[in-house]
Amino acid sequence: EQHILAGMLQRADFLEICLGHLTEEDFCFRNNHLLFSTIKKMNDNKEVVNFFSVEDYLQRTEQLEKAGGREYLWALVDNLKPNITNIEPNINILRACTIRRNISDACFKAANLCLFPEERSVPQMLEEVEKEVFSVIQKNRPKVLSSFNIQTCLLELAEKLEKTKDEQLRDRVSTSFPDLDKMLGPISRGELVIVAGRPSMGKTTFALNIAT
């Protein structure tokens, strides 16, 4: 946790990577949790993030002592020098610890449910246990790309292609099949093109005709 925070306080590239992969939940020590939350809030507000700006923010919001004080912040940047090659392994370790804690919490709740069922029936208990486990799985799924408007994307692509059409055509090779060129566009130089089909469909003849 300290290595991650030290990197975020000293390097913009660290900051971007960490904020893209971690949340407050990944920091189990209270002061580190507060530090990450503060850094994230400042970044969201487009504020500069470094040792001095974070210290000033914590002081203004009367949270500096809760975050460990100025000495703790200074120790992070003075003793821990960020190395970009270590960032991914450190993030993976931190995420693995979070997942293990989440699994442990779910198992603890399930065990309590079994020991103190109260008025719950066995099917109800199974359903609650399933919800706990499913919640852990949902929270820890790999991140996917955010959604986008397909119409906007296609219009932007069409506009970009139109602007660079002449230049693109100079760098492309015709298949000599006008209808195919019309559908797929000419082949880009250096492009790997896979011709697929069932046996005896004419793949080899087709490829040889293009080559000829």
Side-chain angles (χ1 to χ4, degrees):
E1 292 182 16
Q2 290 178 336
H3 274 276
I4 293 284
L5 290 169
M8 294 175 76
L9 288 170
Q10 296 177 73
R11 291 183 56 157
D13 50 356
F14 259 60
L15 182 69
E16 188 179 349
I17 294 167
C18 294
L19 289 176
H21 291 84
L22 299 170
T23 67
E24 290 93 332
E25 188 190 11
D26 295 308
F27 295 81
C28 67
F29 290 93
R30 189 175 296 177
N31 56 337
N32 293 340
H33 183 284
L34 176 57
L35 271 175
F36 182 87
S37 176
T38 300
I39 291 170
K40 184 177 185 303
K41 199 177 294 180
M42 290 176 68
N43 186 73
D44 290 344
N45 293 334
K46 311 295 183 192
E47 295 182 49
V48 175
V49 173
N50 57 40
F51 167 79
F52 299 104
S53 62
V54 171
E55 182 197 17
D56 180 63
Y57 184 94
L58 289 167
Q59 211 156 25
R60 283 188 284 110
T61 54
E62 300 181 349
Q63 299 181 94
L64 185 57
E65 292 310 311
K66 287 182 186 175
R70 190 177 196 277
E71 294 75 16
Y72 183 68
L73 277 176
W74 179 251
L76 286 178
V77 297
D78 191 42
N79 299 331
L80 300 169
K81 299 306 173 191
N83 184 340
I84 197 68
T85 58
N86 293 335
I87 188 67
E88 194 174 332
N90 286 344
I91 286 173
N92 290 339
I93 290 168
L94 216 54
R95 286 295 305 138
C97 289
T98 302
I99 294 168
R100 282 160 55 190
R101 284 198 302 273
N102 289 341
I103 294 170
S104 176
D105 289 345
C107 291
F108 181 76
K109 288 175 185 174
N112 270 349
L113 198 61
C114 296
L115 292 170
F116 309 104
E118 297 175 354
E119 302 299 318
R120 298 179 186 87
S121 65
V122 171
Q124 285 175 326
M125 289 165 63
L126 283 170
E127 188 178 345
E128 287 192 38
V129 170
E130 185 181 38
K131 278 181 185 175
E132 288 293 338
V133 174
F134 186 69
S135 172
V136 173
I137 294 169
Q138 282 290 91
K139 274 201 299 186
N140 296 290
R141 283 190 192 282
K143 291 188 178 180
V144 296
L145 292 173
S146 57
S147 60
F148 58 90
N149 185 308
I150 188 67
Q151 186 178 6
T152 305
C153 180
L154 288 173
L155 286 171
E156 287 176 0
L157 179 62
E159 188 180 342
K160 185 177 178 183
L161 288 174
E162 191 63 36
K163 284 179 181 176
T164 58
K165 186 166 63 175
D166 293 339
E167 185 182 333
Q168 286 178 339
L169 288 174
R170 282 200 300 272
D171 292 332
R172 292 184 177 229
V173 180
S174 170
T175 63
S176 298
F177 291 94
D179 289 343
L180 184 63
D181 283 345
K182 208 175 288 182
M183 285 189 289
L184 302 180
I187 301 168
S188 297
R189 296 183 188 278
E191 186 176 23
L192 170 66
V193 179
I194 296 174
V195 181
R198 295 189 299 278
S200 302
M201 293 290 288
K203 297 187 297 293
T204 303
T205 305
F206 169 69
L208 286 171
N209 281 336
I210 291 176
T212 303

